Amino acid sequence: MTGVPASAAGGSGATPVRGGKLGTAAVNQASLWNIANLLTMLRLVLVPGFVLLLLYNGGYDPVWRSFAWAAFAVAMITDLFDGHLARTYNLVTDFGKIADPIADKAIMGAALICLSYLGDLPWWVTGVILFREIGITLMRFWVIRHAVIPASRGGKMKTLAQGTAVGMYVLALTGPLATLRFWVMAVAVVLTVVTGLDYVRQAVVLRRKGLAAESAATAVASGVPEGNEGAEALGAAEGVGPVLGDSGGQGSTEAER
């Protein structure tokens, strides 16, 4: 919930110049305790609070579920802002790149598990979504040394659909709205599966290119082939960009978080 995979951790912090963006001298001076990371930490703290509110009084009290919805909504809103602030003001840190996706999955996972526990949502829906989210997060770490897999338009739509559907299930809705939330969740599940398969494809391609670039760079540095092989190796090394596809978090061009 975070555009190149570079660390800006440490440093003494920096104050944005008038006009909204940091000056050149402020680049790579992001402090751990910046606003983007604080929002991420807030989202992590909200997770246990949200669970307590949702399950309070048996989990079927409309009033307490409204409070739980408010906590969930705050978490979703901070997810939108922390990555944007990190990228806009050069506040990307190693902590943010790791904690942001964890916070995203934690609040969504807690909501899904609680809803299934209460019998409001089938367990298979929770399983499909969590399998995809956890799998893609692990895959990001698998390829992170080569590049970041940023979030696609489909990924953004998936996140919006999931957040909307889960939020509607958290509320004690009845009648037409209860029917509507079923279809919103159905759309979210379809987008979850389709975008998950696309991310797997991107990760495989990205890792292959990254490994090829490393091999080519090693060959060039060793002064191995000149001629055609050397030119091909150099071209491969220079032709691999740092970002492929379209995700989340403070370390990407978006934040699918």
Side-chain angles (χ1 to χ4, degrees):
M1 189 162 271
T2 80
V4 294
S7 169
S12 56
T15 303
V17 297
R18 190 180 300 274
K21 303 227 178 174
L22 288 178
T24 303
V27 174
N28 293 328
Q29 295 299 314
S31 166
L32 172 65
W33 300 99
N34 62 62
I35 183 62
N37 285 345
L38 290 175
L39 289 175
T40 299
M41 294 176 195
L42 172 63
R43 198 154 69 259
L44 286 169
V45 171
L46 280 172
V47 175
F50 164 77
V51 171
L52 290 175
L53 291 170
L54 182 58
L55 298 181
Y56 187 80
N57 199 22
Y60 298 103
D61 189 318
V63 174
W64 287 100
R65 290 188 70 145
S66 296
F67 292 150
W69 177 86
F72 183 79
V74 170
M76 292 296 99
I77 291 172
T78 60
D79 181 27
L80 294 176
F81 283 104
D82 61 357
H84 173 73
L85 290 171
R87 294 187 304 275
T88 301
Y89 296 102
N90 279 321
L91 301 177
V92 176
T93 64
D94 286 338
F95 170 82
K97 288 188 288 185
I98 295 174
D100 182 73
I102 291 176
D104 298 341
K105 309 318 176 195
I107 188 68
M108 183 61 67
L112 291 167
I113 291 172
C114 287
L115 289 171
S116 292
Y117 169 78
L118 294 171
D120 293 337
L121 192 66
W123 276 106
W124 72 264
V125 173
T126 294
V128 167
I129 294 178
L130 290 184
F131 179 80
R132 187 272 191 194
E133 299 302 332
I134 295 174
I136 295 303
T137 298
L138 294 176
M139 191 161 290
R140 290 188 194 286
F141 291 126
W142 181 53
V143 300
I144 196 170
R145 74 186 183 93
H146 301 296
V148 171
I149 306 177
S152 63
R153 181 173 299 178
K156 298 174 187 178
M157 292 174 61
K158 180 273 303 180
T159 300
L160 176 62
Q162 280 186 3
T164 302
V166 170
M168 294 178 73
Y169 270 89
V170 169
L171 289 171
L173 300 179
T174 58
L177 289 177
T179 302
L180 176 62
R181 72 182 182 182
F182 168 83
W183 290 108
V184 175
M185 181 59 78
V187 172
V189 171
V190 171
L191 289 173
T192 295
V193 173
V194 172
T195 58
L197 293 175
D198 182 58
Y199 277 119
V200 171
R201 177 191 63 79
Q202 290 188 57
V204 171
V205 172
L206 183 59
R207 182 171 172 80
R208 285 177 179 173
K209 286 190 174 183
L211 292 174
E214 289 180 357
S215 176
T218 300
V220 171
S222 301
V224 176
E226 294 192 3
N228 289 338
E229 290 186 22
E232 290 176 5
L234 182 58
E238 293 177 345
V240 178
V243 173
L244 175 67
D246 221 74
S247 144
Q250 296 183 20
S252 75
T253 57
E254 191 263 324
E256 178 210 324
R257 328 205 40 46

